[in-house]
């Protein structure tokens, strides 16, 4: 199997560090990092038909329908010439089954599935301090990984924002949705023997060392 056709799937609750770790992995290995949440937020920002449809779900902390998500990911798989880090998909059992189907159709391989494990307490703490760059999608944490200048992005100096769905009421809903709809996906990949677990607590650097450790097993 060509390395260019590999997919690394990142699973874990919101705030577990999938974006931070996935972006770094992609950068260091020449992979392409794709987060379905980023694609949706861009669509919302650009007020495309997809964005207008997705916003209603995202604002409430609910999942966007499976059929919509399948189309988005299929487009990425059709176009990408690089191996993929996939963050935020699949999030339901039907999405995991759909991914298997698309992988076969377009000649890809699920190389590994990494689950980032973090307690509810730490998730809430991290999400409320999270800020993102709406321009380049860089991720910060006001407590543990703050930007160098005020609340400006270190990379492109765009003012950072708090995601609408990182507000406390929506965080609680997103966690409930994760437990109800995404936990079965973990069992699905465990049964296929693809799952690797990483303790996501601690500094990004420590977590990245653990990620490299499980990826080289
Ligand atoms: P994230 O940035 O991964 O936390 O995603 C933000 C929001 O986008 C989620 O709360 C969902 O509303 C939506 N979303 C992202 N990925 C998916 C997906 N695979 N399935 C359904 N909804 C998604």
């Amino acid at each position: 199997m060509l390395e260019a056709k590999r997919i690394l799937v990142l699973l874990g609750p919101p705030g577990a560090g999938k974006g931070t770790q996935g972006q770094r992995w992609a950068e260091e290995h020449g992979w392409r990092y794709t987060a379905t949440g980023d694609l949706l937020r861009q669509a919302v920002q650009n007020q495309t038909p997809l964005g207008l449809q997705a916003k209603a779900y995202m604002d409430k902390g609910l999942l966007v329908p499976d059929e919509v998500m399948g189309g988005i990911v299929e487009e990425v798989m059709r176009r990408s010439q690089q191996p993929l880090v996939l963050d935020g998909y699949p999030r339901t059992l039907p999405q995991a089954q759909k991914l298997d189907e698309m992988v076969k159709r377009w000649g890809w391989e699920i190389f590994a599935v990494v689950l980032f494990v973090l307690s509810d307490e730490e998730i809430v703490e991290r999400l409320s301090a999270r800020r993102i760059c709406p321009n380049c999608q860089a991720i910060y944490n006001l407590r543990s990984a703050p930007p160098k200048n005020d609340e400006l992005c270190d990379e492109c100096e765009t003012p950072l924002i708090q995601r609408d769905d990182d507000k406390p009421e929506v965080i609680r809903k997103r966690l409930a949705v994760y437990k109800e709809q995404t936990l079965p996906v973990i069992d699905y990949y465990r049964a296929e023997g693809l799952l690797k677990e990483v303790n996501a607590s601690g500094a990004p650097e420590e977590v990245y060392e653990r990620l490299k450790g499980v990826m080289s097993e």
Side-chain angles (χ1 to χ4, degrees), residues 13-15 18 35-38 40-41 54-55 57-66 69-70 73 87-92 95 127 130 163 165-166 170 174 177:
K18 302 185 295 295
T36 48
D38 286 346
L40 292 172
R41 277 184 290 281
K55 186 173 172 13
Y57 296 96
M58 296 169 80
D59 283 350
K60 295 191 197 111
L62 300 174
L63 294 184
V64 173
D66 291 336
M69 298 311 301
V73 174
D87 170 359
Y89 187 93
R91 254 178 158 100
T92 65
Q95 288 184 12
L127 290 180
R130 173 159 75 180
R163 284 172 44 172
D165 60 355
D166 279 346
V170 190
R174 288 165 67 208
V177 165

Side-chain angles (χ1 to χ4, degrees), residues 89-101:
Y89 187 93
R91 254 178 158 100
T92 65
L93 215 41
Q95 288 184 12
Q97 288 155 349
K98 174 80 183 172
L99 181 61
D100 275 348
E101 205 185 292

